[in-house]
Amino acid sequence: MSRPPDMLQGMLDLLILRVLQLEPMHGWAIGQRIRQLSDEVLQVQQGSLYPALHKLEEQGWIDATWGESENRRRAKYYALTRAGRKRVHEETANWERLSSAIALVVRTT
Amino acid sequence: MRWLARLRHGLRTLRSARRADQDLTDELQFHLDAQRDLYEAQGLSREDAATRARRDFGSPDVMAEHCRDTRHWRVWSDALRDVRSGWRAALRAPGTTLAAVATLALGIGSATAMFSVVDAVLLRPLPFATPHRLIRADQSVAAAALDVYRGEARAFTDVGLLQPQVEVNVGALAEPERLRAAVASDGVLPILGITPSVGRGFTADDLDAASTPVVLLTHHLWAQRFERRDVIGQTLRVDGIGRQIIGILPPEGLAPLTDVDLVLPAVTRGLPPAALWGSNYFQLLARLGDEVTVAAATADLRRLAPIVRDSYPWRMPDVFGAEIVAVPLLESLVGDVRQRLLVLGLAVALVLLSACANVAALVVSRAIVREREFAVRTAIGASRRRLVQQLLTETLALWCCGGVLGLGVASLALSGLQAWLPADVPRLASLSLESRALATCLGVTLVTGLGFGLLPARRMSRTDLVPFLKANDGGVATTAGRHLVIKGLVVAQLASAVVLVSGSVLLTRSLWNLTQVPPGFDAEDVLSAVLTPDQAVCADEARCESFYAQVRERLEALPQVSAVGFANGVPIDGPPNLFAIDVEGHPVPPGAPAFTASRLVVTPAYFEAIDQPVRRGRGFSAADGERTAPVILVNEAFARTFWPGQDPIGKRLRYVWQPTWRTVVGVVGDVRQAGLAEEAPLAFYLPYGQDRPRDLTVYIESSQPWPQLARELRQVVRAAHPEVPVSRVRPLRGLVDASLAGTTALLSLLSLFGGVVLLLGAIGTYGVLAGNVSARRRELGIRLALGAPARSVRQLVLLEAVRLCVVALAIGIPAAWWAAQRAEHLLFGTSSQDVLAQFTVLVVMTVAALLAAIVPASRAARVDPLRAVRDV
C-alpha cells in the first residue's frame, strides 16, 4: 500500500514539524492539532501519520521520548531537534516561495 | 549533528528490536484508545466507539509494518533477525551445522592456502628493479663471450654473466667449511637493481684474472662471521686464495634467483683460452632496452650467435647457438614447477567445489522441511524478496562461519604445503598468509556463498502454495524440483571425486613404474661424500693423488668396509656432464656438432662399491695410470649406439681437443643420470690416474650404520689433511628416493584431496538416497504390502545409487581424461588412455556409491507397510 499521491501527504512533513515547533506532543495530538489549526480543513489520513512520524524520527529531524499523557497513560512524545528547527525554517521558506509562485500562475491564467 | 542522531537512533533500534516493536505497538494502541475516547465523548457506546476507531485506523499490524518499512536500517535489522533465527535453527541441529561449517572451512581454507602458494611462486613479480624487463638466455655462454655480447648486442641496456651456485672452501676456521657462492660479472648487480649496503660492487677491472682477487659478502654471512662494520679491506680465504672483501650485499641478497653466502667475480680476461672459452660457462642475464620485446631480444641473440661462434679460438659447429632463446626471468625460474602447481590448483578447486556443493545440498534439504512455513508466509503477504533475503542471509552466515574457520585451516595447510612440496620449488620460503590471501579468503567465501546460496533460495521461494495449504503433505511431486537440485549437487561432487581419483590412480601407476626402473647400481649400504681439497692441499697433481690414496687406504682399513671407490660425479642426482668426443670410425663433417657423452673419472673399486656390473672385458685396475696406455670404459648404451653388433673392445675414442686416442677395454652397465624417468645417457669412464680432477666423491660400501661411518670418514680425512672439507655426506639410497620425491609429494596431496572429495560425495549420496527413501515411503510400503520381496526393494535403492554413479562417471571421466592430457609430462609409463586406470576408477566409484547405499537400502526394506500406507 503506497501513500496516495496527495499534495497534503507531500506537505505532511512540514505540517508535523510546524506543529511540533510550538510544543512537543504525541502522535494523536499532532493529528488533532493539524485539524484544529486548519479549521477542520486538513484531515490527516491516519494511515500516513505514523509512518511519516517514524520517518522524520529516523531522519533525525525529531526526537522521541516516552512520557505520561494527560490521562496518565504511557505515550510517545515527539520534539524537534536542533536540526529539525533549522529544517522548519527552510521548508517554510520553500513552501512560501512555491505557493506564491503557484498563486501567480493560477491568478494570471 | 543530524547524522549523530540518526546513528544513535539506528543503533538503538538494532540493539533492542523487540523493545522497539513493543514501543510501536504501544504507540499505536495509545492512538486507538485516544480515538475511542473521543468517539465515546461524542456519544457512542464503548464497543461502537472502539470498532469505529479501529475501522478508521486500519489494521495496526499493517500500520506497524509500514512504520518499520520507513527505517533505512531495515535491511540491517532484518539481516540481524535472520542471522539470529538461523543461529537458533542451527543450534537445533548442532551436528549438521558443525559438519557444514567444518566442510566449508576445509574447502575455503585449502583454496586460500593454494592461492597463496600459486601467488607467491608464480604470480608475484620478482623483487628486482622493473623485473619484467629482465631476461635470461636458455643456453649457457662462455666466460669470454661477455665482451662480444656487451659490444655487439643492440637489444639490451646491459648484459651480465652469472653462475648461481658453486661450492667453495672458505678457510682458516676450526673446521674447514664448504659454502655456496655465486659467480657474477660486474653487470649483474646493476641489472638486478641491487646496490651493496656497504662498500662497492664489481667493476670491469675485477673480471681480469691479473687483478687483486675480491669477494662480496652476503648480509647473513657477515652477520654470522664478523662483528664489526669495517670488514672492507679484510682478507677471506676462498678455495685457498686470499680475497679482499669489497662490499656487503643487502639482507635480501640475490634471492630468489639464488641463495648463497658470497659472490665471486667472473673471470672473463687473462686466463688461457681453454679456460675462458672451454670450461667456464655462465647463465646470461640481461636487461631489455626501452620498448624492446622479448621476441626482439631472442632475435638479437640469434643474430649474435655466429659472431660469438667465430670468436672461439677453435672451430665450433655451424649451428652453435642458433636455437638460443631469451626467456623472461620469472618464467625461467618457475617454468618447470608451473604445471605441477596448476594440477594441485585444479585439485584444490575441485575440493572447494565439492565442499560448497555438499553444504548447499544440506541447506536445500533443511529448507525443504520448512516449505510449509514459507507457503503460509507467502499466503499472508510476505514478499518473495523477503523470503529469498532470509534464506540467503542464513546461508551467508553459515558460509562466513566457514570462511573464518577456513583462515585457521589455511595457515595450517600453508605450513603443511611448505613442508610437503619438494624443496626445488622456488620461492617457497617466502610463503605466508598476508593481505592478498585474506582478501582471497573473503572473496571466495562471498562468491561461493552467494553462488551456492542463491540457487536454493530462489527455488525455495517459488513455492507452489496450493499443495501445502491442503491437509496432505504434497508428496513427491512438488518436492521433485528440490530433489533435483540436491541430486545435481551430489553428482557434481561425485564427478569431482572421479577426476581426483583418476589422477591419483595415474600417479600411483607412474610412481610404481618409476620404482621398478633399475637405476643401474645398488644403493644399499653405500655412503657417499664429497671431498674438495683446494689449492693449498693439491698444489700439484702428485700431491692430490697421494692425498686420495691415503684416504682410500685408511678407509679400506676400517672394519666392515667392503669397498671404497672414488668418482667425480654422482648418479641420478642431476643432468649429465657432457663432453665432446671423437669416435674412431665415425667421422663428423666439419661444422656439424660433435658427439657428446657423459664422462666420469673413477678409481678401480668404484664399480665394486656401487655394484655397477662390468658386462664385457675388464674394469680398471691399479695398473692403469699415468704411464700406461690410455684406456677407457664405455657403457652399454654407448656400445649399442656406435658399435651395434660388434665387439667394442679395442675400439678407440678421444676428447675433441686432445689428440690422444684412448682404447676401450670393457663395457659396463647403464646408470640413470638425470632422474629415474630419463634414459641412461651415453657414458664413458676414465681411470683416475689418466685424468685427475681435484674434487671427488667417495663411495664407501659398508655394513656399518651410516652416522657412525660418517664420523669415521671425517676423522680419516682430517688425519690425511686437516683443511679438506667433507660435504654432502649421505647414504646413496637417499639419492634414489629423492628423485622420486616430486612425484611422491604430488601423489600424496592428490590422494588426500581425492579421498576427502570421495568421502564428501559418498556422504552426499547417502543423504540423497536416504531422502529418497523417506519421500517414497508410502510407495515402498505399498510394494511390500503387495508382496514384493525385500530384496527387490533394496535393489531399487541400489539402482538409484548406481544411476547417480553412472552420471557422475559420464561427466567425470572425460574431464579426467582432458586433465591427464594436459599434465602428461608428470606421468611416467602411463597416459590418459590407460585402460587399467580407468577401470580402477570405475570400480572405486561404484564401490563407494554402493557402500553409501547400504544403510538406506536396508532401511527401505524394513519399511513397515501398514504404517507407511496409513501415515500421511
Side-chain angles (χ1 to χ4, degrees), chain A residues 1 26 28 32 46-47 49-51 54-55 57-61 66 69 71 73-76 78 83, chain B residues 2 6 9 23-24 26-28 30-31 33-35 37-38 56-57 63 66-67 70-73:
Chain A
M1 251 164 35
H26 51 70
W28 187 78
Q32 298 295 99
Q46 301 205 20
L49 176 62
Y50 283 96
H54 280 261
K55 182 141 161 290
E57 182 188 359
E58 200 253 336
Q59 284 178 329
W61 305 125
W66 280 89
S69 74
N71 40 10
R73 259 183 270 158
R74 199 163 155 268
K76 193 171 178 191
Y78 293 95
Chain B
R2 194 163 68 95
R6 292 185 69 172
H9 176 82
D23 285 350
L24 188 54
D26 287 345
E27 187 183 0
L28 297 178
F30 177 82
H31 182 107
D33 291 342
Q35 198 69 17
D37 291 343
L38 183 64
D56 287 346
F57 194 62
M63 173 85 61
H66 286 309
C67 287
T70 63
R71 298 187 200 150
H72 285 181
W73 294 91

Side-chain angles (χ1 to χ4, degrees), chain B residues 179-416:
Chain B
L179 294 180
R180 291 163 308 178
V183 185
S185 70
D186 59 320
V188 169
L189 289 182
I191 287 176
L192 296 176
I194 301 176
T195 17
S197 55
V198 181
R200 63 172 181 89
F202 297 137
T203 59
D205 292 329
D206 294 323
L207 304 185
D208 200 308
S211 51
T212 327
V214 294
V215 66
L216 276 173
L217 299 182
T218 52
H219 189 265
H220 70 259
L221 182 66
W222 167 76
Q224 263 179 14
R225 299 292 200 80
F226 303 87
E227 288 93 33
R228 302 155 11 225
R229 248 196 171 238
D230 52 341
V231 295
I232 311 295
Q234 278 194 21
T235 309
L236 189 67
R237 266 180 61 121
V238 179
D239 268 349
I241 305 174
R243 288 182 173 270
Q244 198 183 51
I245 301 174
I246 55 165
I248 306 175
L249 292 179
E252 313 83 41
L254 294 169
L257 210 51
T258 180
D259 185 20
V260 293
D261 303 303
L262 34 100
V263 183
L264 302 170
V267 177
T268 61
R269 285 190 293 277
L271 288 180
L276 287 180
W277 291 98
S279 47
N280 283 340
Y281 271 74
F282 292 82
Q283 294 175 0
L284 183 72
L285 287 178
R287 175 173 285 278
L288 294 175
D290 290 328
E291 318 213 334
V292 176
T293 60
V294 176
T298 303
D300 203 34
L301 285 174
R302 291 196 182 174
R303 178 185 65 87
L304 291 175
I307 304 177
V308 172
R309 184 195 68 212
D310 294 336
S311 312
Y312 270 78
W314 54 75
R315 176 98 192 242
M316 293 295 280
D318 291 338
V319 297
F320 177 75
E323 306 275 309
I324 196 169
V325 175
V327 181
L329 192 57
L330 180 59
E331 196 179 314
S332 73
L333 207 58
V334 300
D336 304 327
V337 178
R338 180 175 293 150
Q339 210 175 54
R340 247 188 290 162
L341 282 184
L342 288 181
V343 166
L344 270 183
L346 176 69
V348 169
L350 287 177
V351 170
L352 178 66
L353 177 73
S354 189
C356 290
N358 200 303
V359 177
L362 211 77
V363 167
V364 172
S365 31
R366 273 213 300 201
I368 285 180
V369 173
R370 297 159 72 186
E371 271 196 322
R372 193 177 204 137
E373 169 202 338
F374 286 160
V376 171
R377 283 173 70 182
T378 318
I380 15 178
S383 66
R384 182 155 159 247
R385 204 192 57 147
R386 182 76 190 86
L387 292 179
V388 169
Q389 208 178 319
Q390 175 171 4
L391 276 173
L392 202 58
T393 313
E394 287 178 10
T395 314
L396 268 181
L398 188 66
W399 240 264
C400 285
C401 286
V404 166
L405 213 62
L407 274 180
V409 171
S411 61
L412 273 177
L414 210 60
S415 32

Side-chain angles (χ1 to χ4, degrees), chain B residues 697-744:
Chain B
T697 308
V698 60
Y699 296 85
I700 313 173
E701 189 179 22
S702 159
S703 45
Q704 259 190 338
W706 74 268
Q708 190 179 350
L709 188 59
R711 263 197 307 273
E712 295 185 359
L713 170 66
R714 286 189 202 275
Q715 282 172 357
V716 163
V717 173
R718 201 169 331 149
H721 199 297
E723 273 190 33
V724 177
V726 180
S727 52
R728 303 231 197 143
V729 183
R730 55 190 169 180
L732 208 56
R733 177 82 239 157
L735 276 178
V736 180
D737 293 336
S739 74
L740 299 172
T743 315
T744 315

Side-chain angles (χ1 to χ4, degrees), chain B residues 18-256:
Chain B
R18 201 176 305 158
R19 182 69 182 279
D21 288 340
Q22 186 60 45
D23 285 350
L24 188 54
T25 318
D26 287 345
E27 187 183 0
L28 297 178
Q29 188 59 46
F30 177 82
H31 182 107
L32 278 174
D33 291 342
Q35 198 69 17
R36 181 201 62 205
D37 291 343
L38 183 64
Y39 286 140
E40 222 178 316
Q42 288 175 353
L44 291 163
S45 75
R46 199 162 175 104
E47 292 97 50
D48 287 342
T51 318
R52 176 125 179 249
R54 259 311 285 277
R55 217 192 353 237
D56 287 346
F57 194 62
S59 156
D61 294 318
V62 179
M63 173 85 61
E65 195 66 19
H66 286 309
C67 287
R68 277 194 284 264
D69 269 341
T70 63
R71 298 187 200 150
H72 285 181
W73 294 91
R74 187 66 192 281
V75 177
W76 296 108
S77 65
D78 281 347
L80 207 65
R81 194 176 338 144
D82 292 338
V83 170
R84 279 207 206 113
S85 79
W87 173 247
R88 279 195 301 267
L91 282 183
R92 261 179 268 134
T96 337
T97 315
L98 217 62
V101 170
T103 313
L104 281 176
L106 194 69
I108 297 177
S110 26
T112 310
M114 197 63 217
F115 172 80
S116 289
V117 172
V118 170
D119 182 44
V121 176
L122 295 180
L123 296 178
R124 222 181 280 168
L126 293 169
F128 305 127
T130 57
H132 55 281
R133 307 298 298 162
L134 297 174
I135 59 115
R136 181 155 69 178
D138 66 336
Q139 294 177 7
S140 16
V141 302
L146 177 64
D147 291 325
V148 178
Y149 281 112
R150 265 231 169 102
E152 308 280 337
R154 286 190 282 228
F156 310 118
T157 56
D158 202 1
V159 172
L161 298 182
L162 179 70
Q163 265 178 7
Q165 253 196 44
V166 300
E167 288 190 352
V168 292
N169 293 350
V170 175
L173 305 152
E175 184 89 19
E177 220 177 318
R178 194 102 174 122
L179 294 180
R180 291 163 308 178
V183 185
S185 70
D186 59 320
V188 169
L189 289 182
I191 287 176
L192 296 176
I194 301 176
T195 17
S197 55
V198 181
R200 63 172 181 89
F202 297 137
T203 59
D205 292 329
D206 294 323
L207 304 185
D208 200 308
S211 51
T212 327
V214 294
V215 66
L216 276 173
L217 299 182
T218 52
H219 189 265
H220 70 259
L221 182 66
W222 167 76
Q224 263 179 14
R225 299 292 200 80
F226 303 87
E227 288 93 33
R228 302 155 11 225
R229 248 196 171 238
D230 52 341
V231 295
I232 311 295
Q234 278 194 21
T235 309
L236 189 67
R237 266 180 61 121
V238 179
D239 268 349
I241 305 174
R243 288 182 173 270
Q244 198 183 51
I245 301 174
I246 55 165
I248 306 175
L249 292 179
E252 313 83 41
L254 294 169

Side-chain angles (χ1 to χ4, degrees), chain B residues 469-529:
Chain B
L469 299 178
K470 290 201 240 170
N472 186 335
D473 202 319
V476 180
T478 53
T479 54
R482 258 50 98 207
H483 283 304
L484 200 61
V485 168
I486 298 183
K487 269 197 210 164
L489 292 170
V490 170
V491 165
Q493 284 178 65
L494 287 175
S496 319
V498 167
V499 174
L500 288 175
V501 169
S502 167
S504 304
V505 169
L506 285 175
L507 274 179
T508 312
R509 288 212 68 187
S510 300
L511 199 63
W512 170 253
N513 290 340
L514 275 176
T515 53
Q516 297 301 100
V517 168
F521 58 94
D522 183 11
E524 292 308 320
D525 292 339
V526 180
L527 182 71
S528 72

